[in-house]
Amino acid sequence: MGLFAFALVLAGCDSDGSGMEEPSNTLTQVVSNNNDLSTLASALQAADLAETLGNENATFTVFAPANPAFDNVDVQSLTDNPDLLRDLLNFHVVQGEALTASDLQGRESVTTVEGQELQIGSENGTLTVGGVPVSQSDVEASNGVAHVIGGVLIPESFPRRVSYDLAAQSNSGVISSGVEGTVTFWEYNDSQTLVTLSLDNGPTGESVSHPAHIHNGNASEGGGGIEIYLSPLDGTNTENDANDGTSARLVNRSFDNLAGFNGYVNIHESVDNPVVVAQGNIGANATGTLGAGLSLVDNPTMNTKELTAQPNEGAFSNGVPGQLRLRELTADQTLVTVRLDPDDDNNFEEGPTQGSLQEATVSHPAHIHGSGGAIQDYLSPVDGSDPRARSSQIVPNSVLNSDGIYVNVHESAAKLVNIVSQGDVGSSSGGSGGY
């Protein structure tokens, strides 16, 4: 039954024949009884809001996203985060008033249960809320009114993320059929975004690290220059669950900047053989999938630990000094960043030089080791051709809280025996600053 037909069923002749009788269904029943609103109905249940909107002693105005509004929303990520989901849905609800379309047209904004203002407007004669058109207005209920809308409303306080698919690319390298993956932008603060990469089937099993970049332009046009270096993906050791085929990098771009950026992402086979194994448009060139962002801790701590150069018999025989930066993300996750200082000037490649890593044709794998020497977690390799000589990974706090752990940075995936940098993860020396 369509929404319009369902609205008509709600009304009928009253007992004395004088007109239309009052609706008998609550807003929760209106939503749950309509197939066009089934995704919203499930979300209300997951957020424990179904009972609230079923309260006969309260009055609400609900802006109800129809099912197609969720096509580009990672609903699972929302239901996995009920507190965030509740905030999101409360941005669709006004309490204390049953506002009809005519009531709304006389207002510039309404205050939602979430606490923020929702702008009311008009576009080509169609009523809009938060810039989203109303497709069906004045669906009456016994405790209020619903208006069906064509999009999901996002409050400013909601931590956002958006993901884009990366398609496998046929190539002449060792991974000739390419790999599939995902790039995700996580809102971090007003000027920084956390960018993560993941491979659909985990590490590739090749003895290389896979560098990745954000390029200018559209992927179909090709040839766009590198705009942002991302953290490479470690292709090795498919048998070790500590390597999950992911990487992370905190970049100095706002979420809105990246979500609207005219660009695409390339993942390559290796620094030495940079054939493209995965590729996908982002930002202005693609429709991403919105999801729940990170529940970031307030006032995160950031600790610094020195990595000392390790003499070895490899191509970087003197080793490379560096730092390990640990920044709190969530209650149970930390962003671990390896920063190398190839020319030992204590700038950590904020300047114009790359020292001994200048145009290095390898990436440098890094791992967190336990007291017995076993790898506890794979950090993202450092791209030897990256002018900033750094990489990051999201690590569970349970790993970092283990006793006797330390970090090794190696020459390459093929020459893990050569350790170029090393340091304990235990007590830290403090620190501040960006990445």
Side-chain angles (χ1 to χ4, degrees), residues 2-8 34 36-37 62-66 101 104 126-127 133-140 145-150:
L3 180 61
F4 183 69
F6 181 77
L8 292 178
N34 194 289
D36 295 334
L37 303 176
V62 174
F63 303 106
L104 293 170
T126 298
L127 178 68
V134 174
S135 58
Q136 174 67 45
S137 60
D138 298 341
V139 181
E140 294 183 346
V145 63
H147 306 280
V148 180
I149 58 177

Side-chain angles (χ1 to χ4, degrees), residues 405-419:
I405 59 173
Y406 60 95
V407 165
N408 280 346
V409 182
H410 303 264
E411 177 182 332
S412 67
K415 297 181 179 180
L416 291 175
V417 67
N418 296 322
I419 299 172

Side-chain angles (χ1 to χ4, degrees), residues 274-289:
V275 294
V276 178
V277 297
Q279 184 180 77
N281 282 315
I282 62 168
N285 297 324
T287 300
T289 300

Side-chain angles (χ1 to χ4, degrees), residues 2-20:
L3 180 61
F4 183 69
F6 181 77
L8 292 178
V9 168
L10 290 178
C13 292
D14 63 16
S15 57
D16 61 7
S18 60
M20 306 302 288

